[in-house]
Amino acid sequence: MGLFNVTHPASFLLTGIPGLESSHAWLAGPLCVMYAVALGGNTVILQAVRVEPSLHEPMYYFLSMLSFSDVAMSMATLPTVLRTFCLNARNIAFDACLIQMFLIHSFSMMESGILLAMSFDRYVAICDPLRYAAVLTNEVIARIGIAVAARSFIILLPLLFLFKRLPICRSNVLSHSYCLHPDMMKLACADITINSIYGFFVLVSTFGMDMFLIFLSYVLILHSVMAIASREERLKVLNTCVSHILAVLVFYVPMIGVSTVHRFGKHAPRYVHVLMSNVYLFVPPVLNPLIYSAKTKEIRRTIVRMFRHMKT
């Protein structure tokens, strides 16, 4: 079947939370608060790293990349989520939905790559501290950032063409207030084997590999830390990893839950799918700035100085 002679709907219909349609206006308030925290918190961290010279270090450059990906992820979902819950405007054009799907998965993959880069930063800082400045130069950090972004866009680009080759003739109603590839595939009335195989390949070769390498880095870090004689020093070193470990858990636990529900929970109630997807997309951008502000004293002090300076 050709790429341009298939049947596509002019638009898709987005869905809020099944069974709670009458409460969407009330749910819009908490959603707006979450978006405000995500956008505001991550923007503050970006500004803190920009203005404070003491934060011009590899660890904080990677944190800036994480904050940027969280802002981008929030901006990718914000228009359709707020339109669905605040205005009950559920229509989204086919091409707009395709672009949103691409951006959501791209920024999600980018965040995974940044978390891997941050684990490498912790590994070098703890296991080879004397070479830390020589290994993680500004040029290396920039190359890592470019590679992470390029990987996300290049590996996901085929999804656009693979989906556009599918005829959509069953329904045009999506299960969420934003567009996700697994959800959109369900509407196809053709064989989706190629899409499923490629989607699984993307999942394993990027998120799966990132998780494995992060786990491996912490095995090596733990091995190095256990060689330190002083218990106080061991705890001090491990404390530098707490923020990153929490960020990894906040990102990967919901992602694993979403993947599990989509692949093995086909008979689960519909609200379970919606809830897991919302947790996966909304929780990391909200919690990451809170985690790093609370657990990293350098970030916390800079933010306090910034707000004091604004008052004067």
Side-chain angles (χ1 to χ4, degrees):
M1 183 174 290
L3 181 62
F4 299 104
N5 60 351
V6 295
T7 303
H8 294 147
S11 62
F12 289 108
L13 278 179
L14 301 171
T15 304
I17 299 180
L20 295 177
E21 289 82 1
S22 61
S23 303
H24 280 180
W26 294 98
L27 293 172
L31 285 172
C32 288
V33 171
M34 292 176 67
Y35 274 117
V37 172
L39 295 173
N42 285 293
T43 301
V44 166
I45 287 182
L46 286 169
Q47 178 68 3
V49 175
R50 188 184 72 85
V51 302
E52 178 55 48
S54 65
L55 299 182
H56 294 174
E57 297 180 3
M59 173 183 174
Y60 302 110
Y61 287 143
F62 288 128
L63 176 58
S64 295
M65 295 180 194
L66 185 69
S67 294
F68 173 80
S69 69
D70 282 337
V71 169
M73 173 70 81
S74 298
M75 292 301 295
T77 60
L78 184 147
T80 56
V81 171
L82 294 188
R83 284 178 68 248
T84 301
F85 282 89
C86 297
L87 306 175
N88 195 32
R90 299 171 55 198
N91 278 291
I92 180 172
F94 178 86
D95 288 333
C97 190
L98 210 60
I99 292 171
Q100 186 186 51
M101 176 270 290
F102 177 77
L103 292 176
I104 289 174
H105 292 300
S106 294
F107 290 127
S108 180
M109 187 182 296
M110 194 181 301
E111 184 153 342
S112 178
I114 294 167
L115 289 172
L116 173 59
M118 295 174 83
S119 72
F120 176 67
D121 168 81
R122 291 298 84 207
Y123 166 76
V124 177
I126 293 171
C127 299
D128 198 3
L130 297 179
R131 299 185 62 234
Y132 181 70
V135 172
L136 287 173
T137 62
N138 288 344
E139 182 181 356
V140 169
I141 294 169
R143 287 181 178 179
I144 290 174
I146 293 171
V148 167
R151 180 190 73 161
S152 302
F153 285 96
I154 292 172
I155 201 169
L156 286 171
L157 193 60
L159 281 182
L160 296 177
F161 299 100
L162 287 174
F163 183 78
K164 290 200 75 170
R165 56 179 276 277
L166 296 175
I168 308 297
C169 53
R170 290 178 179 173
S171 172
N172 70 332
V173 180
L174 297 173
S175 303
H176 308 290
S177 52
Y178 40 81
C179 303
L180 295 177
H181 183 249
D183 193 27
M184 296 167 69
M185 278 199 307
K186 294 177 183 178
L187 305 181
C189 50
D191 186 9
I192 60 172
T193 302
I194 296 177
N195 296 65
S196 297
I197 292 174
Y198 189 76
F200 183 73
F201 163 75
V202 169
L203 191 66
V204 173
S205 64
T206 55
F207 296 102
M209 184 60 68
D210 290 349
M211 280 192 290
F212 171 75
L213 293 175
I214 291 172
F215 174 76
L216 180 61
S217 70
Y218 274 104
V219 169
L220 297 174
I221 288 172
L222 190 59
H223 181 267
S224 180
V225 169
M226 295 308 294
I228 300 174
S230 170
R231 180 175 181 272
E232 289 74 17
E233 284 298 316
R234 290 199 299 267
L235 293 176
K236 183 179 179 181
V237 172
L238 287 175
N239 190 54
T240 64
C241 301
V242 171
S243 297
H244 179 253
I245 292 173
L246 291 175
V248 168
L249 293 175
V250 163
F251 178 77
Y252 282 110
V253 171
M255 187 200 71
I256 293 172
V258 169
S259 299
T260 302
V261 168
H262 271 298
R263 294 191 177 276
F264 305 109
K266 295 180 180 180
H267 300 293
R270 191 177 172 190
Y271 67 83
V272 173
H273 292 260
V274 175
L275 177 63
M276 291 300 298
S277 295
N278 287 340
V279 168
Y280 167 56
L281 288 182
F282 297 153
V283 169
V286 171
L287 291 187
N288 282 339
L290 300 180
I291 289 171
Y292 277 94
S293 299
K295 296 297 296 181
T296 309
K297 63 181 180 180
E298 294 82 3
I299 291 288
R300 187 168 62 251
R301 289 172 180 173
T302 302
I303 292 174
V304 170
R305 284 198 298 268
M306 286 170 53
F307 280 102
R308 285 178 177 173
H309 180 72
M310 290 173 60
K311 291 181 179 179
T312 57

